[in-house]
């Protein structure tokens, strides 16, 4: 491996320096037109500032990246959450305001991901950013990201939702066995599609995203059309949108508002989905700068339009008691009970399937990047794109925990608990990334930043992560959470998983090497399919 200045040494180099800087393309000879060649086995961390093309090429156009983002954000939440939001805040005006605030918070998070994504245009998302920022202690960031990606990087909730609503749409009995069978079938079909038929899978997930956009537009238009239908009470309902009644009955309780904002924020999750697959995006920096805000704006506008449509079509008393059935009431009011009870399940099932497709697509790439770094067993096979020129190894790593979460939990409490545990550690990573973004601005002003997030946006995202970390320990009003045991158990388990990761890192990289007289170093290698990988080797101390 050729010698480079300290700041160009590999990520896991024994004594890297961060005090100097050099242009990577001035000191390396494996670049092609400002991109890292896929045939290069140089895994220097500084080269993360340059785009790297996946061995199977750049197959994602601006439109595909846009659909990947929209389909990831829009799940089943917009068809269920608005009723609970209105019940919490008490008025139409405050409910709409909460959705606008949620979109603003999402925009702040997007600004951070855009700054880092444009500065470090590589597949892997949070993995790339944490490794670039936190190079000390050695291996720690990589170890924690690997544990998060493999142990908690599953797709189960929307598979279960798909199974449940497909059974309802087909007018079949919803049994646990039938529900899980459909869920496993969907997961398996998507894994095979993305692993064996890459371009076909991209085409299908693009098509499902267009269906989602079409459905939201259709529902928004129905809200306006309902004003002219004589058999509905829409004209009377629409009076609640007048300035005089807009904030009538508002509940300004801080806890209620915070809970509502958190729920809305989850409805915007996934705005940074494309950051995980930038090696496959054509012209990644330019695409990210224009596509990501366009996608988020599209979703925010549709969310607002659908909320307004709900308030026009469904009376407030029914919305207040609708729970998660507000979309069902919407269709029943316009088309009648029989059509409404069929359309909604299909609508939710399609949204869930599209969400599973894009989440599987991106998480497989994260797993592949973890394997390329040498942090998974059988890394040689899991890193490779052989034999279908697709990340089949990463898909298998994603498939196994997802399958287990679908088929093993014996009761609803356990399932809800697993889903809560899944999201909690991610808040620590989000906070670390935001803090690291501010630190990089001071320590590495030499780095090119095609986009720079507003400082207030970074701090707002830090504040939100802090609240989400603390929130599970605030006792609910009735003393019960969404499970039958202690409400904060998932936070303790999620945090404990990170602690276990730190302990494992210390044993593996510090204590055992010290006792046995060796150190871990990285060694670049090239697979037969052209994928560059890192092998972790034991070097005897002199």
């Amino acid at each position: 491996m050729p010698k480079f200045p300290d700041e160009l040494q590999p990520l896991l180099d024994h004594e890297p320096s961060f005090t100097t800087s050099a242009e990577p393309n001035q000191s390396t000879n494996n670049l092609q037109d400002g991109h890292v060649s896929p045939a290069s086995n140089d895994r220097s961390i500084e080269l993360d500032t340059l785009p790297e093309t996946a061995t199977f090429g750049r197959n994602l156009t601006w439109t595909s990246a846009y659909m990947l983002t929209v389909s990831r954000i829009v799940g089943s939440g917009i068809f269920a959450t608005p009723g609970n939001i209105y019940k919490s805040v008490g008025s139409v005006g405050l409910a709409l305001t909460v959705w606008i605030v949620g979109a603003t918070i999402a925009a702040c998070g997007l600004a951070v991901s855009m700054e880092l994504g444009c500065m470090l245009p590589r597949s892997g998302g949070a993995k790339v950013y944490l490794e670039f920022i936190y190079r000390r202690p050695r291996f720690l960031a990589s170890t924690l990201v690997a544990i998060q990606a493999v142990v908690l990087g599953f797709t189960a909730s929307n598979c279960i939702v798909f199974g449940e609503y497909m059974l309802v749409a087909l007018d079949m009995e919803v049994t646990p066995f039938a529900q899980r069978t459909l869920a496993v079938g969907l997961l398996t079909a998507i894994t095979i599609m993305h692993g064996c038929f890459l371009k076909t899978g991209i085409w299908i997930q693009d098509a499902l995203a267009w269906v989602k956009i079409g459905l939201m537009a259709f529902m928004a238009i129905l809200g306006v059309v309902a004003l002219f239908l004589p058999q509905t009470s829409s004209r009377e309902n629409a009076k609640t949108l007048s300035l005089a009644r807009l904030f009538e009955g508002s509940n300004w309780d801080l806890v209620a508002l915070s809970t509502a904002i958190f729920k809305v924020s989850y409805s915007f999750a996934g705005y940074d989905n494309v950051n995980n697959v930038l090696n496959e995006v054509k012209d990644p920096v330019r695409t990210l700068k224009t596509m990501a805000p366009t996608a988020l704006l599209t979703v925010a506008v549709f969310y607002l339009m659908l909320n307004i449509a709900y308030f026009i079509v469904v009376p407030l008393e029914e919305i207040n008691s609708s729970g998660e059935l507000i979309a069902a009431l919407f269709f029943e009011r316009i088309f009648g009970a029989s059509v409404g009870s069929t359309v909604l399940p299909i609508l939710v099932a399609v949204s869930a399937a599209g969400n599973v497709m894009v989440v599987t697509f991106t998480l497989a790439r994260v797993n592949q990047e973890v394997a390329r770094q040498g942090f998974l067993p059988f890394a040689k096979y899991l890193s490779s794109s052989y034999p279908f020129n697709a990340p089949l190894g990463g898909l298998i790593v994603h498939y196994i925990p997802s399958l287990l979460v679908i088929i093993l939990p014996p009761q609803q409490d356990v399932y809800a608990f697993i889903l809560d545990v899944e999201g909690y550690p991610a808040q620590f990573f989000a906070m670390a990334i935001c803090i690291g973004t501010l630190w990089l601005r001071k320590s590495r002003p030499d780095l090119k930043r095609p986009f720079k997030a507003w400082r207030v946006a970074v701090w707002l995202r830090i504040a939100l992560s802090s609240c989400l970390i603390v929130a599970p320990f605030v006792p609910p009003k009735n003393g019960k959470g969404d499970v039958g045991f202690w409400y904060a158990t998932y936070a303790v388990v999620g945090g404990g998983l990170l602690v276990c990761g730190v302990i494992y890192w210390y044993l593996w990289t510090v204590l055992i090497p010290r006792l046995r007289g060796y150190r871990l170093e990285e060694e670049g290698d090239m697979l037969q399919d052209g994928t560059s990988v890192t092998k972790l080797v034991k070097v005897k101390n002199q």
Side-chain angles (χ1 to χ4, degrees), residues 64-83:
S64 293
Y66 172 80
M67 292 301 168
L68 196 70
T69 305
V70 170
S71 194
R72 173 63 182 88
I73 299 174
V74 181
S76 56
I78 187 58
F79 309 115
T81 307

Side-chain angles (χ1 to χ4, degrees), residues 302-320:
F302 272 122
Y303 278 4
L304 205 59
M305 291 172 66
L306 286 184
N307 273 275
I308 292 173
Y310 291 147
F311 289 127
I312 289 175
V313 174
V314 184
L316 294 184
E317 310 83 59
E318 294 185 25
I319 293 177
N320 196 50

